[in-house]
Amino acid sequence: MGELADDRALLGRTSTAERVADILRTRIAEGYFRPGERLSEEAIGGALGVSRNTLREAFRLLTHERLLVHEMNRGVFVRVLAVEDVEDIYRTRRLVECAVVRGLGEPPYVLSALEAAVGTGERAAGDGIWTGVATANIHFHRELVALAGSARTDELMRGVLAELRLAFHVVDDPRRLHQPYLVRNRVLLESLRSGDREGTERLLAAYLDDSREQLVEVYAHRVARP
């Protein structure tokens, strides 16, 4: 828990359950806490220097976000997604992300954050850091949604993409999963830069459908193992 203790500074003087939840949400997304792992109140509370009541409220918030589950007489665990959860996540992504692209105003668009995410993913791939590629890919889609300029949509997608990371963490071969989408992210970026909203939406819809099919196949095989 020493690494988690480094996050204590993020709590500042006004420690709240929401800030604790933010820290744990990030750590879950990064794979620091893995799907199926039991979260120790004593260890986490001690590392962050927060009360048990504050920590339990943070757990409650993350359970509401479907990142944690509470099992009676056993404790709180990082959620393990079912295949149906993965399919539902992609249905939600397709609805939201395609709608964002469709609703963009007239070009040019501010694409610097998308460009940075693409570049980060390409550099991570060059270094063979495939978890870094996965993180950059999540950032790319988060910044794509941010083009809508809607705090509500941003918050929705934050939860959806955090859930998606739970599926990524149980995949054995992240390179096979993420490598094909490095080029496709670049293609989407260039399509947006050209101002072709309709073409970008078609590319994005096909991208998400292919990603869903691939992840469901890999994930179903993985979670079916004894």
Side-chain angles (χ1 to χ4, degrees), residues 7-16 19-20 23 48-50:
D7 289 333
R8 185 184 295 194
L10 299 176
L11 298 175
R13 294 178 179 273
T14 57
S15 175
T16 65
R19 290 183 179 178
V20 173
I23 290 170
L48 293 178
V50 297

Side-chain angles (χ1 to χ4, degrees), residues 112-131:
S112 55
L114 283 170
E115 176 72 58
V118 170
T120 299
E122 291 170 345
R123 288 190 295 275
D127 294 335
I129 305 173
W130 295 101
T131 55

Side-chain angles (χ1 to χ4, degrees), residues 209-226:
D209 287 345
D210 290 346
S211 179
R212 173 187 53 78
E213 182 177 347
Q214 181 186 16
L215 183 56
V216 165
E217 179 183 358
V218 172
Y219 192 76
H221 176 71
R222 178 68 177 83
V223 299
R225 292 179 186 176

